[in-house]
Amino acid sequence: MFHFRIMLTALLSLRQNLLRTMLATLGVVIGVGAVVAAVSILEGSQRVALGWVEGLGADQILIFNGSEEGSHRRTQTESLLPKDAGLIATENPEWIVATAPQYTGGGQIKYYDKNTYISILGTTAAYGTINDYKVSDGRFVTPQDILGKTMICILGYKVAEELFGVLPAVGKRVKINGKGFVVVGVMEEKGALGFSNVDNQVIIPISTAMGRMFGARYLTMLGVQCVDAASVTTCIERVKKTLRVSHRIRAEESDDFVVFTQERMKQMFSQFAILFAVVLYSIAGISIVVGAIGIMNIMLVSVTERTREIGVRIAVGARRFDILRQFLTEASVISLIGGALGIGCGWAMANFLHKVTDTLEVYTRPSLIVIALAMAGIVGIISGIYPAIRASRLDPVAALRFE
Amino acid sequence: MGDSVVNALDGVDLHVAAGEFVAITGASGSGKSTLMHLLGGLDRPTSGTLEFDGQLLSAMNEKQLAELRNRRIGFVFQTFNLINRTSALDNVCVPLMYTRRSFSKKTARAALERVGLGKRAKHTPSEMSGGECQRVAIARAIVNEPALLLADEPTGNLDSKTSEQILQIVHELHATGITILLVTHEMDVAVQADRIIQMKDGRIVEDTAVDDHRRDEILRLNRDSHERMFRKKAAARTGTSTDNHSSEAKRVG
């Protein structure tokens, strides 16, 4: 009960100086807000990233252009050829189920007066099966489309919605980067797949993309589906062997391609997340320190200003410990109020960013709120301890005479 | 070296009996406030002993001293020393907060009623007159029903009419058995006590009991405050003569 009374006294004193109290909390509001917003964004992004990696599947391999430790031979960084996809599949039929060559570009799709910016993916029928990504209407890319370099396209869910609304898109003629295409299918709603938001993507045959659209020689990446997760290591060996022969790499030379697996992606993401976290936490930490200094400053002013009050309290029977506890409680209450406001602000900020950017995912863990409040309490105690000690050490006789 | 030691009090030997009303007078710097702080347990003497109700103050630790100030001693100051922006009632509650038992605001309200401020409980010091503030301060001093009331120039910041009201309250408290120690430099205030101690340069130069004749007069005045007010000047004159009389007696002794 006595602690409750101390708390009440602290709240009363703080209410008497409402503006100052609010100013004192500001630092903690910003600090805790920064922490909550940063951690929410960090964890939201991590969840998305992990979702991507999980979506990739443990039995898949992704091959990109480039080299692991800086190529010695080549000046060009691109190396993956369209024929590599076929070679990998045909040379290792016992290990590899399917390969999906991919070429990614950007552009604009137009249907009469409506147009939107999209990412263009050139690929084969295997892309859909490997990623378990199906059409909701019409059909997907067929081998005939690849052979004939046909001018057909399959729209992502959002693209179809934007151009055609509720009307059927299949059979309509659209223009992509000025070239005429026929819509033959619309994809199901999927969200993120791999690194991109596939709902905002238009799929065309790989041959059309590289030949007629972009005039490219090399693939962007190559997706490989292994027979099962256990065979991934063997598959990587096989894929490397095939590609080294195909790219005519000599024994002493390093690979001109990079192989990724789900496992490796996870590691990369976690490394990236750590780096990201260090930066965010440093910023948040600095804000918290600033907040703590703010509280300490206000508390020191408050102690000086209330010197007489302290003298009176001692005269009427307060022990030094009571004075110490009162000022510590005041500092903690300031900090906790700041912390509570900060949690609200941080949460609002994170959600605001989520709304505005459309791509940024946020997730506020319930335990984060507890941690933030605990942190605010600790900041209050640490920043309050010096002013409180000063208050409790005042000489009552001098304090009563203080002008 | 260089700093010379100044003793605010030197060779003071004072005994105050329970229920006494003692006035301490003297010019500023004579050590009367220091004496008061020592007696109230706010300060510790560099040497010598202090005893309160048979307990040695120098043997007490900080906690015991705080409890003594809280339960047994009430302080009243010249500048009232109320906590600003806090209602009269909450000001009176402050000592109760440090008493290790649960309290109800009823106790504080009763103390305010004793000083005639029951209706001003919700007002803050800035909304009250000096006399009212001092009455709140007295209520705060007596809320824990102390045995000793230490008043340091309680009327120093008040006009004579308000001073009378405050002294009236002090007399009423004295009548209930509280020992009063009143520091003042005004003789007409000091004379209202049973005993006047005069200080100079940290020493007690005179310790005078107001004689029976005057005591009767003061008690009679106390019963009728209006009459007392009219006779204030007369009382002041008799106080001075009493002093002379006693110092003569001492010399004879």
Side-chain angles (χ1 to χ4, degrees):
Chain A
M1 265 340 261
F2 188 63
H3 293 269
F4 173 71
R5 226 180 291 147
I6 287 270
M7 194 82 164
L8 209 68
T9 317
L11 277 173
L12 280 174
S13 324
L14 293 175
R15 205 187 57 186
Q16 284 159 15
N17 249 316
L18 200 60
L19 181 67
R20 179 198 285 175
T21 307
M22 286 300 131
L23 284 174
T25 59
L26 199 62
V28 177
V29 172
I30 293 168
V32 171
V35 172
V36 170
V39 175
S40 296
I41 292 166
L42 184 68
E43 294 198 346
S45 314
Q46 244 170 331
R47 286 191 141 206
V48 171
L50 279 177
W52 290 348
V53 176
E54 295 298 336
L56 179 64
D59 53 358
Q60 286 182 41
I61 302 170
L62 295 179
I63 302 155
F64 293 90
N65 293 303
S67 68
E68 295 278 349
E69 60 275 309
S71 173
H72 304 296
R73 183 179 66 158
R74 301 168 186 272
T75 47
Q76 70 186 62
T77 52
E78 291 177 313
S79 58
L80 294 171
L81 298 163
K83 64 165 181 158
D84 291 341
L87 284 173
I88 289 168
T90 51
E91 283 182 15
N92 311 288
E94 69 277 31
W95 298 107
I96 282 149
V97 178
T99 54
Q102 295 172 36
Y103 184 87
T104 343
Q108 194 188 30
I109 187 166
K110 217 174 148 186
Y111 179 69
Y112 290 100
D113 58 335
K114 287 182 182 165
N115 71 82
T116 181
Y117 285 92
I118 47 158
S119 60
I120 301 164
L121 173 70
T123 189
T124 64
Y127 174 80
T129 52
I130 286 178
N131 292 306
D132 193 25
Y133 182 35
K134 299 181 186 73
V135 290
S136 64
D137 191 18
R139 65 170 178 88
F140 199 67
V141 179
T142 60
Q144 285 73 35
D145 291 322
I146 310 293
L147 282 171
K149 297 184 182 174
T150 54
M151 300 299 275
I152 58 110
C153 67
I154 299 102
L155 305 183
Y157 174 80
K158 264 195 185 160
V159 181
E161 200 183 54
E162 199 145 326
L163 293 185
F164 299 100
V166 291
L167 299 172
V170 175
K172 300 281 182 349
R173 303 194 134 265
V174 294
K175 288 212 162 182
I176 301 173
N177 289 354
K179 292 187 168 66
F181 279 81
V182 178
V183 179
V184 298
V186 175
M187 300 307 290
E188 61 183 350
E189 190 175 2
K190 185 88 172 177
L193 184 70
F195 298 103
S196 51
N197 180 357
V198 290
D199 289 342
N200 201 31
Q201 174 182 264
V202 171
I203 296 166
I204 59 176
I206 180 98
S207 52
T208 313
M210 296 180 71
R212 293 184 163 188
M213 177 73 80
F214 297 105
R217 230 189 115 193
Y218 298 100
L219 297 174
T220 311
M221 65 175 282
L222 186 52
V224 176
Q225 172 80 53
C226 308
V227 284
D228 54 35
S231 60
V232 164
T233 322
T234 322
C235 283
I236 291 171
E237 290 312 312
R238 295 291 179 133
V239 165
K240 280 190 173 176
K241 205 171 152 193
T242 304
L243 286 178
R244 284 181 75 93
V245 172
S246 166
H247 297 176
R248 295 189 188 127
I249 299 167
R250 283 194 289 270
E252 72 277 11
E253 283 172 346
S254 55
D255 297 341
D256 58 0
F257 52 89
V258 189
V259 180
F260 280 99
T261 60
Q262 188 192 39
E263 197 55 37
R264 195 162 162 209
M265 298 269 254
K266 272 185 189 167
Q267 280 172 13
M268 279 184 56
F269 273 126
S270 68
Q271 275 171 7
F272 176 69
I274 288 168
L275 193 76
F276 201 56
V278 166
V279 174
L280 284 180
Y281 287 139
S282 307
I283 294 168
I286 291 166
S287 324
I288 287 284
V289 168
V290 170
I293 291 170
I295 290 184
M296 193 190 279
N297 190 21
I298 294 284
M299 290 309 293
L300 282 173
V301 170
S302 176
V303 168
T304 308
E305 197 188 72
R306 285 155 69 191
T307 298
R308 248 167 193 273
E309 179 190 324
I310 295 162
V312 170
R313 284 182 184 276
I314 293 173
V316 300
R319 290 171 298 166
R320 294 189 181 280
F321 178 67
D322 294 324
I323 303 292
L324 184 87
R325 186 158 57 177
Q326 183 189 341
F327 280 88
L328 263 190
T329 309
E330 277 184 30
S332 307
V333 168
I334 290 179
S335 198
L336 284 175
I337 290 171
L341 291 174
I343 289 167
C345 288
W347 184 82
M349 183 75 185
N351 283 283
F352 173 74
L353 285 174
H354 168 62
K355 279 244 166 69
V356 166
T357 58
D358 204 40
T359 50
L360 199 65
E361 291 297 326
V362 298
Y363 173 65
T364 312
R365 207 161 15 105
S367 64
L368 177 65
I369 291 167
V370 179
I371 292 168
L373 270 183
M375 194 170 69
I378 292 166
V379 163
I381 289 170
I382 290 174
S383 55
I385 207 147
Y386 174 64
I389 286 174
R390 261 186 47 164
S392 71
R393 287 203 181 147
L394 282 174
D395 170 23
V397 173
L400 282 167
R401 284 209 197 100
F402 186 82
E403 291 299 326
Chain B
M1 305 302 272
D3 286 326
S4 56
V5 177
V6 176
N7 291 321
L9 290 176
D10 198 4
V12 172
D13 189 1
L14 178 67
H15 177 85
V16 177
E20 259 191 302
F21 184 168
V22 180
I24 303 173
T25 64
S28 52
S30 60
K32 49 189 197 303
S33 288
T34 305
L35 181 61
M36 174 137 293
H37 292 141
L38 285 172
L39 293 171
L42 281 175
D43 212 347
R44 286 177 189 272
T46 41
S47 67
T49 55
L50 284 158
E51 224 175 83
F52 183 93
D53 201 13
Q55 291 168 286
L56 211 55
L57 258 60
S58 49
M60 287 186 179
N61 59 27
E62 194 250 330
K63 192 184 161 190
Q64 288 168 318
L65 274 179
E67 202 175 314
L68 181 81
R69 290 195 297 268
N70 186 237
R71 299 280 186 95
R72 314 292 311 274
I73 298 173
F75 280 98
V76 177
F77 306 95
Q78 179 175 1
T79 50
F80 325 135
N81 282 340
L82 298 178
I83 299 170
N84 293 328
R85 284 178 278 193
T86 306
S87 73
L89 188 65
D90 286 335
N91 262 292
V92 177
C93 281
V94 171
L96 295 174
M97 279 176 44
Y98 301 110
T99 310
R100 305 292 177 268
R101 58 178 157 83
S102 61
F103 73 91
S104 73
K105 290 201 172 179
K106 269 186 194 164
T107 324
R109 208 174 275 278
L112 273 177
E113 269 155 19
R114 270 176 88 178
V115 297
L117 280 180
K119 292 205 169 116
R120 306 281 272 160
K122 294 283 169 209
H123 293 257
T124 61
S126 58
E127 295 164 346
M128 290 189 283
S129 68
E132 284 173 323
C133 283
Q134 193 60 295
R135 282 196 274 167
V136 174
I138 292 174
R140 181 178 65 191
I142 61 168
V143 71
N144 264 338
E145 314 213 330
L148 174 64
L149 184 75
L150 296 174
D152 192 353
E153 302 272 15
T155 60
N157 278 13
L158 302 173
D159 60 63
S160 56
K161 190 165 171 256
T162 321
S163 298
E164 280 304 323
Q165 291 170 355
I166 295 300
L167 289 171
Q168 169 71 32
I169 293 168
V170 172
H171 276 292
E172 280 163 12
L173 294 173
H174 180 227
T176 65
I178 300 178
T179 310
I180 313 273
L181 223 85
L182 191 143
V183 166
T184 183
H185 61 268
E186 295 167 88
M187 249 358 241
D188 53 349
V189 173
V191 80
Q192 302 200 19
D194 301 341
R195 180 178 165 194
I196 298 172
I197 290 162
Q198 266 203 309
M199 295 194 66
K200 195 183 177 190
D201 300 332
R203 293 172 184 276
I204 293 176
V205 289
E206 297 225 16
D207 186 347
T208 322
V210 180
D211 69 3
D212 286 349
H213 175 65
R214 293 300 163 217
R215 183 192 300 274
D216 288 344
E217 191 176 21
I218 289 164
L219 285 174
R220 201 181 67 241
L221 288 172
N222 197 22
R223 277 194 294 275
D224 189 328
S225 67
H226 288 286
E227 196 180 344
R228 184 165 57 84
M229 245 187 278
F230 288 124
R231 297 205 181 179
K232 195 172 72 178
K233 282 192 175 170
R237 236 180 292 123
T238 47
T240 323
S241 69
T242 316
D243 272 358
N244 292 339
H245 170 76
S246 81
S247 48
E248 271 168 38
K250 256 186 195 168
R251 237 174 280 141
V252 173

